[in-house]
Amino acid sequence: WAAGYCQEDGQLGRVRMDPLADTLQRLREAFRAGRTRPAEFRAAQLKGLSRFLQENKQLLQEALAEDLHKSPFESEVSEISIGQDEINKALRNLHAWMKDEKVSKNLATQLDSAFIRKEPFGLVLIIAPWNYPVNLTLVPLVGALAAGNCVVLKPSEISKSTEKVLAEVLPRYLDQSCFAVVLGGPAETGRLLERKFDYIFFTGSPRVGRVVMTAAAQHLTPVTLELGGKNPCYVDDSCDPQTVANRVAFFRFFNAGQTCVAPDYVLCSPATQERLLPALQRAIASFYGEDPQRSPSLGRIVSDRHFRRVQALLCCGRVAIGGQSDERDRYIAPTVLVDVKETEPVMQEEIFGPVLPIVNVGSVDEAIEFIGRREKPLALYAFSSSSQVVRRVLAGTSSGGFCGNDGFMHMTLASLPFGGVGASGMGRYHGKFSFDTFSHHRACLLRAPGLEKIYSVRYPPYSPGKLRLL
Ligand code: NAD
């Protein structure tokens, strides 16, 4: 089974992979008929999404708690309210975003009309991961619907409870001639990717990103790849250690460290490390109590496979804080590792768990050099009481996004593009960037039918006199 949801006879029901062709066909026909183009239709879909969030808030919170032991607070700030903000922004700006964009003209086109028209691509596939399973399905969906596309949504099969809500409840709030949820893991998604889509928006690991891009290449389908990586966090000697420790611990251990933009490791001098360790210990105790396993605020690792992978990383370097784990409820304590070597697994792969290695560097230049030797990260953080140092790290490195003196606050601004660079991905979204991502920017020039006398100057034969006119 790669279950899809369709409404062939007014009933929601599971369909086999073969009827997937019918579902895609139905979406394509709706698109060709122009159903998704009017602003009123798009606004109605966005309002449907908004009602879905409002009316099913509790159901979503329960599903997120089942999947990730996510607290209502984390569910609200990082999943539901982010989705709602994006919907509100799209509804407020829809007409402005859809408007043709007038452009400047040259001498030869002074009398013409030149503009960029934002057109929907057509049939869009959105593939989502499990770590923010509401946010990372709905936020791209807002952009795709606002831009007037038909959408196939493939949620992650790993966050099972949320997947169920997205598959069984969400379609009731959208026009099902233009929207379908398709379920499945790697095998089914692989088969889905064999079909032709007009745009693919993928969020997930760099490994699967390559699979998606290879499949898309067969149809020359454009892609956005929102991938992961290791996000460095440089801390210089001038910082107040407790402030840095609070901020780094909060953003590292949020969602049990399963955040693509979490600070993945700290780079600092040995002296700063000595000041940071007791401050991190205090921050962890004040956030999660003396026994973090009993804290309702700390999430859990999503699956047994991921638990074993993160647990294995605890053997790297030396445990300075935490280090406990309990397979029965996939608990890993907020952990800080020191004396970590660059060649150890914890410094080779994205950690995606509540584990923070500290690597010593002698100077800001050494930190910049260390970061430059590695793949470009999705996010980069620099802490210093000197804005010059922060700006030096910014200027000396490259990353999808950057935040000075805090964690991933930059991604809370829909006015900033969100996306990776190099191995951390390609393309961008959030706010108007989402609308633009899901729109083809069509170059249009409307010329006057007359004026042939003037235009005929360009025709052969090309006399020397014509050359002088240029
Ligand atoms: P993943 O790549 O394993 O899976 C993502 C999606 O791809 C899922 O829907 C899954 O069903 C599908 N999939 C998995 N294997 C596949 C295959 N072989 N062929 C086709 N489809 C396949 O990622 P994940 O474990 O769900 O999420 C964690 C990763 O996602 C991390 O690397 C993290 O950094 C990244 N991530 C990135 C962002 C971002 O915005 N850049 C956000 C969240 C997570």
Side-chain angles (χ1 to χ4, degrees):
W1 288 91
Y5 281 76
C6 61
Q7 199 173 26
E8 305 287 11
D9 52 6
Q11 291 273 308
L12 284 176
R14 282 182 173 249
V15 291
R16 285 184 181 278
M17 195 67 179
D18 286 338
L20 179 64
D22 297 340
T23 303
L24 299 186
Q25 174 79 6
R26 197 179 64 244
L27 301 190
R28 279 213 177 278
E29 276 165 14
F31 181 74
R32 273 196 218 106
R35 189 159 173 72
T36 55
R37 291 207 180 224
E40 299 69 37
F41 179 88
R42 305 183 194 195
Q45 301 310 298
L46 294 172
K47 285 178 188 156
L49 267 188
S50 176
R51 276 193 299 112
F52 165 72
L53 282 181
Q54 285 159 21
E55 292 173 12
N56 298 285
K57 192 179 260 207
Q58 181 147 4
L59 193 62
L60 288 166
Q61 283 183 353
E62 284 164 9
L64 290 163
E66 280 167 28
D67 287 333
L68 291 147
H69 196 251
K70 214 173 257 205
S71 63
F73 179 86
E74 289 196 3
S75 294
E76 182 58 32
V77 299
S78 65
E79 305 258 18
I80 295 165
S81 71
I82 288 198
Q84 189 63 58
D85 287 351
E86 286 280 333
I87 295 167
N88 296 345
K89 193 171 178 104
L91 278 170
R92 268 199 316 275
N93 293 288
L94 190 58
H95 286 276
W97 291 348
M98 286 176 68
K99 245 175 118 179
D100 289 343
E101 206 178 302
K102 285 217 158 87
V103 295
S104 62
K105 292 179 281 186
N106 55 22
L107 191 63
T109 54
Q110 274 311 306
L111 302 173
D112 307 330
S113 175
F115 55 90
I116 300 167
R117 173 155 295 181
K118 310 283 174 63
E119 290 189 342
F121 280 103
L123 182 55
V124 164
L125 171 63
I126 295 172
I127 303 176
W130 49 262
N131 60 333
Y132 291 91
V134 177
N135 175 339
L136 297 171
T137 48
L138 293 202
V139 174
L141 184 57
V142 170
L145 294 174
N149 296 283
C150 290
V151 181
V152 171
L153 184 67
K154 212 303 285 174
S156 172
E157 75 287 6
I158 293 177
S159 40
K160 285 190 184 54
S161 300
T162 313
E163 182 201 41
K164 193 165 186 294
V165 179
L166 293 171
E168 292 181 2
V169 185
L170 175 61
R172 294 182 205 151
Y173 291 82
L174 297 171
D175 185 317
Q176 289 183 49
S177 65
C178 307
F179 173 77
V181 178
V182 171
L183 306 181
E188 293 84 0
T189 313
R191 285 201 287 277
L192 186 61
L193 284 166
E194 288 168 10
R195 317 278 171 145
K196 182 173 164 44
F197 291 92
D198 300 306
Y199 200 92
I200 299 176
F201 188 101
F202 171 80
T203 308
S205 60
R207 181 184 64 80
V208 181
R210 286 185 179 87
V211 173
V212 171
M213 199 169 172
T214 304
Q218 306 314 307
H219 300 288
L220 292 179
T221 300
V223 292
T224 289
L225 300 178
E226 295 283 342
L227 310 177
K230 291 183 79 63
N231 307 311
C233 176
Y234 174 67
V235 182
D236 90 350
D237 294 346
S238 71
C239 292
D240 170 52
Q242 195 59 59
T243 305
V244 175
N246 293 344
R247 296 180 187 185
V248 172
F250 173 61
F251 287 102
R252 169 72 279 190
F253 303 128
F254 195 94
N255 199 27
Q258 300 162 114
T259 305
C260 56
V261 280
D264 188 276
Y265 61 93
V266 164
L267 291 170
C268 68
S269 70
T272 292
Q273 176 179 307
E274 284 318 298
R275 286 193 292 271
L276 265 184
L277 283 175
L280 281 165
Q281 182 94 60
R282 279 191 293 275
I284 292 167
S286 80
F287 295 171
Y288 307 112
E290 287 308 322
D291 180 5
Q293 190 166 7
R294 295 170 55 167
S295 165
S297 303
L298 185 69
R300 292 293 182 272
I301 303 300
V302 73
S303 69
D304 293 340
R305 182 171 69 84
H306 282 280
F307 173 85
R308 285 192 289 274
R309 185 187 59 74
V310 180
Q311 193 188 38
L313 298 177
L314 300 176
C315 305
C316 301
R318 176 171 64 79
V319 172
I321 299 170
Q324 304 82 357
S325 60
D326 181 349
E327 188 157 11
R328 280 168 310 173
D329 81 329
R330 298 195 299 274
Y331 165 76
I332 292 187
T335 295
V336 180
L337 301 174
V338 293
D339 302 334
V340 174
K341 290 196 191 68
E342 207 182 327
T343 48
E344 290 185 276
V346 79
M347 285 310 294
Q348 297 297 312
E349 61 182 84
E350 181 181 11
I351 296 171
F352 232 56
V355 180
L356 180 71
I358 301 182
V359 175
N360 290 145
V361 287
S363 65
V364 63
D365 290 326
E366 203 183 307
I368 289 170
E369 202 269 326
F370 184 96
I371 295 165
R373 282 205 302 271
R374 307 169 146 256
E375 298 284 15
K376 290 179 183 174
L378 184 59
L380 207 153
Y381 305 102
F383 287 80
S384 172
S385 56
S386 154
S387 63
Q388 274 176 339
V389 172
V390 172
R391 285 182 182 279
R392 191 144 144 213
V393 178
L394 175 61
T397 57
S398 175
S399 61
F402 181 93
C403 183
N405 287 313
D406 211 350
F408 44 88
M409 288 305 293
H410 60 293
M411 65 163 293
T412 64
L413 285 179
S415 48
L416 286 176
F418 181 73
V421 58
S424 56
M426 60 185 71
R428 63 208 64 79
Y429 74 130
H430 286 189
K432 183 170 187 293
F433 300 102
S434 297
F435 181 88
D436 286 342
T437 281
F438 286 106
S439 302
H440 166 55
H441 292 210
R442 191 174 185 185
C444 303
L445 180 71
L446 306 186
R447 306 212 76 185
L451 307 172
E452 185 57 9
K453 266 225 164 79
I454 301 176
Y455 293 164
S456 61
V457 188
R458 59 195 168 168
Y459 303 144
Y462 306 124
S463 61
K466 283 186 178 173
L467 191 58
R468 279 197 297 276
L469 277 177
L470 294 178

